[in-house]
Amino acid sequence: MRRTVSDAVWRGIWVACAAGLAIGAVLIALYAFVSRRPDRLIGGDLTSATTFLGASLALVCVVALIIATVGLLMIRGREMAVPAALLLFACAGVTAWVYLADVTDAARSALSVPGAGPVISIAQLSWLVLACSALALLAGSVLPQPESGVRGAPFVLVAACVIVTVIVPIAVGGAAVARASDETSVQAVPIPAVPTTVGSQVAYRLESADPMQVIPAGPGFVTNDGDRVTAYDGGTGARRWTTSADVRDNCSSNGVRSTGTTPTSVVLIGCTEYFEDDVTYSYITGVDAMTGEHLWTNAENWTVRARAVTTGAAVAVLRNPYGDTEIGSLDARTGAILWSRSAPSCFDPVGMATADHSVVVVESCQERGRVAVHVFEATTGNERRVRLAVSPDLVAAQRLHAEIFAVNDDSVAIQMWPDDEYSRESAVIVNAANATYRSHPGDVSAPSTSDLQDDRYPGPLTQLVDSSYPDYVELLMMPGGQTRRISDVRMTVIDDDVADDQLWAEIGDQVATAASFDENYELVVVSGDTIVERRSSPCGDETAGGITAVPGSVVLVCYPGRRDEPRRRGVEILGLR
């Protein structure tokens, strides 16, 4: 009789555990479905994820109902070992399928953006829990049938089993959510002052994988190390926060930018996904530069067109650059598109940039021999148009090129040249604030936009004279457009070793470069047209350096390796104070 009582109690316990696990599976499957949309996601096609999670939830509910029915029949004394075994077999098969099927990978890929929770993993967990529920049911079904009139497990014990087995899978799912969070946000700190002189003390040394991605932002600067975007304090070099550089799976970075070094500045991380037949799709994520908090992700196929640092509240964006192109403006704090419209008829992506308060688009129609500049107010899209004067030689050319090569404040420098000329024929400085322009005297030889890295337009300073000139350089000073000639400086930077916007830096009322070469690389500081300091480069005698001013220090970006060695990836970052 004792054994009969014991079997009846155990049967009740196993059924209670099966019921609790089934309820837990339903609850976590429901959580996965209702939490499927990532936080602060704008746009995006979640069809595959919604279908997968919805179908999984419906099927979990059906199986849980079957488990409840079988358990009830067992409590009433029915022999249910075979149905319980078949149910376990079915749950195990579906569990294996949800872990291995291609539809699961597609659903996970659709949700591989910042702000997304591990809802696919939680949906998979619901099936593991359901399989455990079926296993508990089978364990109870193989026990001997109790004799008539033998009492089963006490109600309190049954209720306790149900409650515990409901709580356990929910707790496991909650732990998965907590561990999956990628955000490492920190407290905001005061922003140090930007130095007005080039110091001689090396305050810190850091390493970065990508030489083109050292960008002033917030209280210091950010780097793109390939897999991670990391923010550093400009004064101390201490790491502040880090986040993934992958906006989503299988998406190639198309650049990191910032909206400056103010308390409201944002780091913009972009990527492009490539498909067959040259089809692409782009994503942008905004991260608070002060704290590292994920602000938003825009999944509407826009890409940013702006230099590495822009100080306006909105940035220029475009969509479908080689199809039915759209242009627009994106709010950097919210990720919302403020306005959009079709691109001009003769639009080329290299002719679009962000000024402080405007989106600037250059329209160059070769067959018509004209160049027009469209200036759109950044927040409203109100348009003003400036038609540039084109010389007869350019009008007669078989093909007329017009590209933006420098941007600073509300001024944009544009160069124009024909196919049959080697040098840049002419340049103009457009003031986007009042939609006027003035011609730059003489020919220029500025870097072609096709040679610039990730729209890394120079800002306040642009080197105009080619580096083959041995005894001087000419700088275009923006936003005014004046030209400054600096004698006794030779630039021998090869290929793209130094980013164009880091070749020269404005430090207070001085300008400086760490890429001057006279037998060895030197750090040269110029005041007016006169060299006031020339010293060995902290990067080393045989290492070219980029230079930029950030809050707290002047940063040198040093490119490793001797000049006659193959170029290697990675840089050393030095903070001078």
Side-chain angles (χ1 to χ4, degrees):
M1 185 66 174
R2 288 182 181 176
R3 178 173 179 175
T4 304
V5 173
S6 177
D7 289 340
V9 171
W10 278 112
R11 179 183 289 263
I13 291 174
W14 282 119
V15 171
C17 289
L21 290 170
I23 294 171
V26 170
L27 291 177
I28 60 178
L30 178 62
Y31 172 84
F33 180 77
V34 299
S35 304
R36 66 191 182 280
R37 186 161 190 85
D39 292 339
R40 303 162 189 169
L41 176 66
I42 300 170
D45 184 3
L46 303 182
T47 303
S48 58
T50 299
T51 302
F52 173 82
L53 294 171
S56 177
L57 172 61
L59 197 54
V60 165
C61 291
V62 170
V63 174
L65 184 60
I66 295 173
I67 288 175
T69 302
V70 172
L72 183 61
L73 293 175
M74 286 173 54
I75 293 297
R76 293 181 175 180
R78 297 283 295 275
E79 179 62 51
M80 301 301 293
V82 173
L86 292 176
L87 194 57
L88 175 60
F89 179 79
C91 287
V94 176
T95 301
W97 181 82
V98 297
Y99 273 92
L100 302 175
D102 290 341
V103 294
T104 307
D105 294 336
R108 194 187 303 276
S109 178
L111 295 173
S112 61
V113 295
V119 293
I120 302 301
S121 296
I122 291 174
Q124 293 172 323
L125 175 64
S126 70
W127 281 100
L128 279 175
V129 173
L130 210 57
C132 291
S133 174
L135 181 61
L137 199 66
L138 179 62
S141 70
V142 297
L143 292 174
Q145 293 291 331
E147 296 178 4
S148 177
V150 176
R151 297 182 62 183
F155 174 79
V156 173
L157 182 60
V158 171
C161 291
V162 172
I163 292 172
V164 169
T165 51
V166 168
I167 291 175
V168 168
I170 293 176
V172 173
V177 172
R179 295 184 62 182
S181 177
D182 186 50
E183 287 194 13
T184 56
S185 59
V186 296
Q187 293 293 320
V189 298
I191 299 175
V194 177
T196 56
T197 59
V198 182
S200 58
Q201 175 189 359
V202 178
Y204 53 85
R205 294 176 180 267
L206 306 170
E207 292 184 355
S208 174
D210 193 335
M212 302 309 158
Q213 298 286 296
V214 180
I215 303 168
F221 59 93
V222 296
T223 65
N224 181 358
D225 295 322
D227 295 329
R228 311 291 299 178
V229 174
T230 306
Y232 295 92
D233 185 289
T236 65
R239 191 174 80 170
R240 302 203 66 249
W241 54 262
T242 182
T243 190
S244 175
D246 300 325
V247 178
R248 62 166 288 138
D249 291 345
N250 304 314
C251 201
S252 302
S253 173
N254 60 33
V256 177
R257 299 165 177 85
S258 89
T259 61
T261 55
T262 67
T264 59
S265 58
V266 178
V267 176
L268 304 173
I269 306 170
C271 78
T272 300
E273 194 173 8
Y274 295 89
F275 303 95
E276 296 180 355
D277 300 324
D278 297 326
V279 176
T280 62
Y281 202 91
S282 297
Y283 302 81
I284 312 167
T285 284
V287 178
D288 191 306
M290 299 295 293
T291 65
E293 178 189 2
H294 168 243
L295 298 176
W296 50 265
T297 297
N298 187 300
E300 297 179 324
N301 196 23
W302 295 99
T303 56
V304 176
R305 299 296 295 185
R307 58 183 296 256
V309 182
T310 181
T311 57
V315 295
V317 291
L318 80 154
R319 180 160 58 184
N320 302 323
Y322 302 106
D324 296 327
T325 305
E326 292 181 78
I327 60 174
S329 176
L330 178 143
D331 187 308
R333 288 298 300 183
T334 67
I337 299 300
L338 301 174
W339 57 265
S340 64
R341 64 184 65 194
S342 297
S345 57
C346 300
F347 173 78
D348 190 304
V350 299
M352 184 178 185
T354 302
D356 271 7
H357 304 95
S358 308
V359 172
V360 179
V361 176
V362 179
E363 182 184 21
S364 174
C365 295
Q366 286 81 17
E367 71 279 4
R368 304 173 196 169
R370 67 174 178 84
V371 176
V373 179
H374 302 259
V375 179
F376 301 95
E377 206 280 324
T379 57
T380 66
N382 293 336
E383 179 184 5
R384 290 172 293 175
R385 189 172 303 183
V386 183
R387 182 163 181 174
L388 305 183
V390 180
S391 67
D393 291 340
L394 290 176
V395 173
Q398 291 184 354
R399 181 174 176 81
L400 173 63
H401 299 268
E403 291 182 353
I404 295 172
F405 70 91
V407 180
N408 191 49
D409 294 340
D410 278 312
S411 293
V412 178
I414 300 169
Q415 56 194 2
M416 297 179 288
W417 76 99
D419 262 349
D420 52 358
E421 294 288 340
Y422 174 76
S423 64
R424 304 299 186 247
E425 184 67 19
S426 62
V428 298
I429 312 299
V430 175
N431 187 324
N434 55 25
T436 61
Y437 79 96
R438 68 180 185 85
S439 298
H440 182 274
D443 293 348
V444 299
S445 181
S448 170
T449 305
S450 59
D451 296 328
L452 297 174
Q453 307 91 353
D454 300 321
D455 302 340
R456 298 296 298 271
Y457 302 120
L461 303 171
T462 303
Q463 183 171 306
L464 294 180
V465 177
D466 190 89
S467 60
S468 61
Y469 284 75
D471 56 352
Y472 71 91
V473 296
E474 283 187 352
L475 301 179
L476 178 68
M477 312 294 293
M478 296 282 280
Q482 303 87 358
T483 300
R484 177 187 293 187
R485 175 173 290 196
I486 302 174
S487 301
D488 198 25
V489 173
R490 184 182 182 189
M491 311 292 288
T492 59
V493 177
I494 301 173
D495 297 326
D496 295 328
D497 276 351
V498 178
D500 294 282
D501 60 346
Q502 295 176 351
L503 194 57
W504 290 86
E506 197 170 40
I507 317 292
D509 59 358
Q510 301 174 331
V511 299
T513 181
S516 174
F517 181 80
D518 185 6
E519 295 185 358
N520 295 305
Y521 281 107
E522 300 173 319
L523 176 62
V524 173
V525 181
V526 180
S527 180
D529 299 329
T530 305
I531 296 176
V532 296
E533 185 177 5
R534 186 193 296 268
R535 65 178 186 251
S536 296
S537 172
C539 289
D541 292 342
E542 298 182 349
T543 302
I547 186 169
T548 186
V550 305
S553 65
V554 174
V555 170
L556 297 188
V557 184
C558 305
Y559 300 80
R562 299 171 59 89
R563 296 186 302 277
D564 56 353
E565 290 181 348
R567 185 179 172 198
R568 297 200 304 271
R569 183 175 175 84
V571 298
E572 185 178 35
I573 301 170
L574 308 182
L576 301 183
R577 287 202 305 242

